[in-house]
Amino acid sequence: MAIFNHKKILRKEILEKRNNIDLIKKEEMDKKILDQFYESKYYKEAEKIFIYISYASEINTKEIINKALKDKKKIYVPRTEFETRHMDAVEIIGLDNLIESKYGILEPSIKEKHIDPNELDLIVVPGVAFDRNGGRMGYGAGFYDRYFKKINKENISRIVKLALAYELQMLDKVPMNARDVPVDYIITENEFIG
């Protein structure tokens, strides 16, 4: 229970800091992060990318999605079922045909079919806080940790799990439990960690 409360307080503190970033500064930091992402071999080599659609104060992934589609990459975004905590990756060809969930997040329709997670090359993982060992603290629903469990052993080490974060989201140590899956790389406005 103590780790849960600690995570809850930490999550609230970091989200508050992230929500209060000056918008002009946020645009500058986003640009530095996105430039590093595009230059990385992980983006260049990936054909099938699973990426969340940015929401609220998250780093602008809509720009990544549009560029990746122009670069002829296959793009998959999350479709979630909050009651069952189930998530699928669904291919999109643009940001236009998406539906706003009851949480205000854009998602593909329930009619669209999803990809087998074992076929992905790169997963851009959202999160509230990270540490230099790949430790990640998400939003608390466990969607991604559950999703990673659907990927078999040889593929989980092949598929790159990469996070985009502001420096202020980096902690010395993220509290993690056995179910939490670390990320392989983190890109901040200042560095590429991995």
Side-chain angles (χ1 to χ4, degrees), residues 36-183:
Q36 287 185 80
F37 177 72
Y38 300 140
E39 283 306 308
S40 73
K41 72 175 197 162
Y42 309 108
Y43 173 74
K44 288 177 178 172
E45 291 173 5
E47 286 173 26
K48 295 178 179 176
I49 302 173
F50 180 27
I51 184 169
Y52 62 98
I53 297 175
S54 52
Y55 172 76
S57 62
E58 290 177 329
I59 288 152
N60 182 0
T61 62
K62 291 175 184 152
E63 207 172 297
I64 293 175
I65 292 166
N66 287 328
K67 177 173 168 39
L69 288 168
K70 278 194 197 99
D71 290 342
K72 304 281 186 271
K73 293 179 184 294
K74 286 189 176 293
I75 293 295
Y76 302 83
V77 298
R79 180 177 59 210
T80 55
E81 177 54 62
F82 265 84
E83 288 67 35
T84 59
R85 306 281 178 164
H86 180 81
M87 179 174 76
D88 285 316
V90 177
E91 186 175 2
I92 60 167
I93 54 166
L95 292 166
D96 305 335
N97 306 342
L98 302 170
I99 299 155
E100 200 170 294
S101 75
K102 63 180 176 187
Y103 296 95
I105 297 166
L106 292 173
E107 295 197 338
S109 121
I110 198 74
K111 294 189 223 40
E112 307 291 333
K113 58 189 219 327
H114 61 273
I115 188 176
D116 176 339
N118 289 288
E119 293 177 35
L120 296 165
D121 301 314
L122 170 63
I123 301 175
V124 181
V125 189
V128 175
F130 302 91
D131 64 34
R132 301 185 79 80
N133 298 319
R136 168 187 169 267
M137 182 169 65
Y139 290 90
F143 282 113
Y144 281 80
D145 293 318
R146 256 185 228 94
Y147 190 76
F148 293 145
K149 299 276 180 286
K150 298 182 196 176
I151 301 172
N152 61 37
K153 264 206 171 68
E154 58 276 13
N155 285 325
I156 199 74
S157 54
R158 176 191 63 79
I159 298 168
V160 175
K161 295 167 292 308
L162 186 145
L164 309 172
Y166 299 116
E167 201 63 47
L168 63 81
Q169 294 174 264
M170 296 302 298
L171 304 177
D172 290 339
K173 182 122 185 65
V174 167
M176 287 180 69
N177 61 37
R179 286 190 310 275
D180 297 334
V181 177
V183 295

